[in-house]
Structure formats: structure tokens, C-alpha cells
Amino acid sequence: MEKEMIYKSRGFSSCINSAYHLMGDNMKGIFRSTWLPALLVSLLGAIVAILYIPNEDVLAFALTNNGLYFTLLGVCLLGIVVCSIWLYSRLMSMLNGLPRGWNFKRMFLATIYMVLIGLVVVFVIVTAFFLALKTTGGNPLLFLLDNWLAVFFVLVLVVLALLPFNYIVMRYLYDKDSRFWGDLPKSYKTGLRHLGFIFITTLLTSIIVGVVAMVAYIPLGILNITNVLSILGKQMGDPATLPGYFLPLFFFTTVLVIMVLQYISMFPTVVYLFIYGSIEKGEEERRNMEVTPNDGFPSTDSFPNDTDPHLPLQQLN
């Protein structure tokens, strides 16, 4: 994809609109490039769902084959992580035009970096929580109930503090010359400067994706509710109501639903790409303004706009 179409000032609606048109115009190519890792993630995810579903046959298998059960579960979870990295590296190869091997390595490293940052954040939150709990001398539940407003405020601050990483990670994945840790202080400062833009775009994108994902999940949700009702009925003495083919039906339905959800979840990634391009363009224009000031008045071109949201978007290879 041409970089000129990425590095362009856009508003939050333009980023979402551009991502929608980009995926819609190139869905055939995206599917052709990513169907294999997406299918593997779906199959492995369906196996994990089968292993977790409350079912007498699954429970009997877990009790009689304890080691095999947990080995199978661990292998599937590890496979999901690896195949997901493979999937999104394929998507990024289409977006940045760089080799698949390079993108896989960057995606793998970005995943590790974000996991490490997440662990540090969780450690700090948990440590602060137990220190506060020790100081007050209360139990965890009462502490949360008595200080729910402070806890909510802290969680909001943590979310806002992590939002710039949407820009940082996409910059690391798209720009081959970028460094994650070496550029982190500067990139994080840039992300904070555009925090409002990132927050609004992420919020709207999350709402759109959440609604569409809920609709896609309906078939699997119906099967889960049916299974739970059957279990409750059996505990009350009613006969089993599930057909003998329930587990195969649940498995293949899960595969289809996860497959659809993966392509829905690609949409935020494309939105973040346009967020990154808009921020980079805005930063470039800001630097130009500092070099050649315009009588103290900023140029209107330095702000994201919604006048040209998606034209023309080059077809992905």
C-alpha cells in the first residue's frame, strides 16, 4: 500500500471510514493471504472450547486422562498464540509491503514486549492494592466496595496511560526503521500529545467491533445456553435433552464463529494504521510550523480533517 495514503491528516471518523473501505475493497486478497493461520486458530480455539465446556463426556475424559488433558490444552493455547502472530504478520505484510519473515519477527517481538509491559502494569496495580489493603486493615471485598470510586479512577488512568501504545506498536510494526525500546520515550510522548484523538477513535472502533462481534457470537451463545439449561435440567431430575451430535455441532459452530471473529478483529488493526499515519503527518506539519511560523497562527492543515477519508485507496497485493 502506498505510504502517501497512510501518512495523511485524518479525523477519527476518517480513520474508521478508511479502514472500512480498505478492508471491504480488499477482503478477497486479505482472506486469500490469511485463511490458513485463521483456520488453524479457529480449530485450536474450538478444541479449547470443547475442553472447557461443562459436559459429562469431557469431564470423564479429563478425569481419566489428566496429563493428556492439560498437555492438549497447553499445546492448543500455545498454538493459538503462534498462529495469531502468523495471521497478523500476514496482514501487516499486505499493509506495509515488507517481507513476511520480517513482519513475523516484528509481530512476535511486539507481542513479547506488550506482554512484559502488561505484566509490569499488573504487578504495580496488585502491589499497590495489597499495600493499600495492608494499610487500611480491611478485607479485599470491603476495600473495593468502600473505595470503588478511587479504584475506578485508577483503572481509568491505567487505560489512558496504555492507549498511546496503540500508536507505538503500529509504528513499530509499520516502520522498518523504528525501534521499540529506543524510540519508546519519544513515541510515548507523541502518543500522549494525541491522546484525545486516539481515545475517541479507539472508543468508537471498540463499540462498532463489539456490536458486530456480539451478532456473530449469537449461534455459539445459543448452543452454550442450551448446554447450561440441559445441565440444570439433569440436576433437577429431568432427562437429557441434548442430541448425541451436540459436541460435533458445538465444535464446528465454534470454528465458524472464531473464523468470523478473527476477520472482525482485524478491523481495529487497520484503524490503528490510519491513526498512526495521521499522527505522523500531524507531527511532521507541527515541526514544519515550528521552523516556519505563520505569524503565530497555526495552519488549518496541521489538524486532522474528514474531507478526504478514503480516496483513493490502492488495492492490496
Side-chain angles (χ1 to χ4, degrees):
M1 186 175 179
E2 291 181 354
K3 292 187 176 181
E4 290 76 9
M5 298 310 304
I6 298 298
Y7 298 112
K8 185 176 183 180
S9 293
R10 289 179 170 89
F12 59 88
S13 62
S14 295
C15 291
I16 297 173
N17 200 14
S18 294
Y20 169 77
H21 283 274
L22 179 62
M23 290 200 66
D25 294 342
N26 300 278
M27 182 52 67
K28 184 182 295 186
I30 293 174
F31 182 80
R32 186 169 57 247
S33 179
T34 60
W35 71 269
L36 180 56
L39 178 61
L40 291 176
V41 171
S42 301
L43 291 172
L44 294 172
I47 294 174
V48 173
I50 287 290
L51 294 176
Y52 267 110
I53 188 174
N55 182 273
E56 291 181 353
D57 295 335
V58 176
L59 180 60
F61 170 77
L63 293 176
T64 55
N65 304 276
N66 196 269
L68 179 60
Y69 176 85
F70 285 104
T71 300
L72 184 60
L73 184 62
V75 170
C76 288
L77 292 174
L78 180 61
I80 289 173
V81 173
V82 174
C83 291
S84 297
I85 294 173
W86 180 19
L87 171 68
Y88 282 94
S89 66
R90 283 287 186 92
L91 176 63
M92 287 306 305
S93 292
M94 301 182 70
L95 296 173
N96 59 21
L98 296 172
R100 291 176 176 177
W102 184 92
N103 278 291
F104 184 87
K105 179 181 178 181
R106 276 289 172 108
M107 187 65 67
F108 178 75
L109 291 175
T111 303
I112 292 178
Y113 297 157
M114 290 310 298
V115 168
L116 292 176
I117 292 173
L119 290 176
V120 170
V121 171
V122 171
F123 175 77
V124 171
I125 293 176
V126 172
T127 302
F129 174 75
F130 280 104
L131 286 177
L133 195 63
K134 184 177 180 180
T135 302
T136 58
N139 64 64
L141 181 59
L142 290 179
F143 177 83
L144 292 175
L145 292 176
D146 294 338
N147 303 276
W148 66 269
L149 187 59
V151 172
F152 175 76
F153 181 72
V154 170
L155 292 178
V156 169
L157 289 180
V158 170
V159 171
L160 292 177
L162 292 176
L163 274 179
F165 283 98
N166 291 334
Y167 159 75
I168 294 170
V169 172
M170 184 52 65
R171 182 177 183 272
Y172 180 70
L173 294 176
Y174 188 81
D175 186 359
K176 64 179 181 180
D177 297 323
S178 66
R179 300 169 302 161
F180 190 90
W181 298 112
D183 298 339
L184 183 59
K186 181 180 178 181
S187 298
Y188 189 80
K189 183 179 179 181
T190 301
L192 286 179
R193 189 155 46 238
H194 298 269
L195 184 60
F197 173 53
I198 298 174
F199 172 75
I200 295 175
T201 312
T202 301
L203 177 63
L204 293 178
T205 303
S206 300
I207 293 173
I208 295 171
V209 171
V211 171
V212 177
M214 287 177 59
V215 174
Y217 180 78
I218 287 176
L220 190 57
I222 293 174
L223 291 180
N224 278 313
I225 293 174
T226 303
N227 181 59
V228 171
L229 292 177
S230 176
I231 293 174
L232 293 176
K234 290 176 66 176
Q235 291 178 350
M236 298 174 64
D238 296 335
T241 57
L242 292 179
Y245 56 84
F246 175 78
L247 284 181
L249 176 63
F250 182 83
F251 177 82
F252 287 109
T253 303
T254 304
V255 170
L256 292 176
V257 170
I258 294 178
M259 192 80 170
V260 173
L261 290 177
Q262 287 180 91
Y263 286 96
I264 294 174
S265 65
M266 288 182 184
F267 181 70
T269 303
V270 182
V271 173
Y272 296 147
L273 176 63
F274 287 108
I275 290 176
Y276 155 73
S278 180
I279 291 176
E280 290 292 296
K281 184 64 176 179
E283 288 296 302
E284 178 186 345
E285 294 175 348
R286 187 179 67 86
R287 289 191 295 268
N288 292 336
M289 288 172 54
E290 292 176 352
V291 174
T292 56
N294 187 21
D295 298 329
F297 294 96
S299 169
T300 56
D301 294 336
S302 63
F303 300 98
N305 63 80
D306 298 322
T307 58
D308 184 18
H310 59 81
L311 296 176
L313 286 177
Q314 181 184 358
Q315 293 286 327
L316 298 178
N317 297 320

